[in-house]
Amino acid sequence: TSRSRARLNQALIEEFTKNAKLTENHQLIAGLPIRTVWTTNYDQLLEQVYREAHKSPDVKITQENLAITIPGRDVTIYKMHGDVSQPDNAVLTKEDYELYNNQRLVFSEKLKGDLIERTFLFLGFSFTDPNIDYILGRIRALLGKNPREHYCIMRRPQRPRGRGKA
């Protein structure tokens, strides 16, 4: 319902803004010679760190943003699950994921093209996202043994607590 979605939107805003802060990792990313970043993160830290590094980010949050190119951009940031500034359009729920190709098809098509044509950075992906899994599977099937290289920054896996040896 729209009421529960409104509460979810508010929780998103609160969760992704209350402790969001730039780290050395963000600064390192902004210093890399990368022109394209695909992220599922909702926060605005990447945009902030690129601006602080005197670089011009072109941020793509909605399908409509994809049709506009910012002149002089240094990096394009594709926020394929949305942004904290537009929580109503964020991909959050199971239904959002199921409707992704209906509501954000242009993002899927752009990602497919970038997977074939570009080397870029994935950031914030867990690779358990069903949409990403499907897209990567299709590209693997199309390209076979000649895939393009891509880079991903992920969290170090955490040890399970309470079981096994320390």
Side-chain angles (χ1 to χ4, degrees):
T1 68
S2 64
R3 198 166 172 184
S4 61
R5 178 62 191 228
R7 283 195 302 270
L8 185 60
N9 294 344
Q10 187 60 40
L12 173 72
I13 291 169
E14 291 170 5
E15 189 62 33
F16 287 101
T17 58
K18 70 179 179 187
N19 294 321
K21 62 183 177 186
L22 292 177
T23 66
E24 182 182 358
N25 293 337
H26 290 98
Q27 293 165 348
L28 291 170
I29 291 168
L32 294 173
I34 295 172
R35 308 242 341 138
T36 305
V37 177
W38 279 87
T39 184
T40 55
N41 293 349
Y42 305 107
D43 64 54
Q44 298 179 345
L45 296 177
L46 274 178
E47 298 93 302
Q48 180 183 343
V49 77
Y50 276 109
R51 287 185 186 107
E52 287 182 9
H54 306 288
K55 294 183 178 181
S56 177
D58 187 357
V59 184
K60 309 298 187 187
I61 300 168
T62 65
Q63 292 191 124
E64 293 76 20
N65 296 149
L66 296 174
I68 301 165
T69 300
I70 293 179
R73 68 184 176 187
D74 295 300
V75 62
T76 303
I77 302 170
Y78 295 95
K79 301 187 85 170
M80 63 183 298
H81 285 177
D83 183 81
V84 70
S85 68
Q86 299 177 28
D88 291 342
N89 296 320
V91 177
L92 296 166
T93 66
K94 182 179 182 205
E95 183 180 17
D96 294 337
Y97 282 93
E98 290 169 351
L99 296 174
Y100 191 89
N101 278 336
N102 295 342
Q103 298 173 346
R104 295 173 89 69
L105 179 62
V106 181
F107 271 93
S108 292
E109 295 302 316
K110 177 66 177 147
L111 177 57
K112 287 177 193 173
D114 280 3
L115 283 165
I116 293 168
E117 298 173 4
R118 299 178 187 267
T119 296
F120 60 87
L121 175 66
F122 282 108
L123 191 61
F125 287 78
S126 68
F127 293 101
T128 58
D129 177 321
N131 302 110
I132 299 300
D133 191 44
Y134 175 76
I135 291 168
L136 291 173
R138 296 288 303 137
I139 297 302
R140 271 192 304 274
L142 291 170
L143 297 182
K145 297 183 182 192
N146 299 312
R148 191 163 190 96
E149 273 192 303
H150 304 287
Y151 299 91
C152 177
I153 298 174
M154 301 176 82
R155 272 197 181 136
R156 181 172 293 161
Q158 301 295 313
R159 285 185 177 211
R161 293 184 181 170
R163 292 191 151 183
K165 297 179 181 177

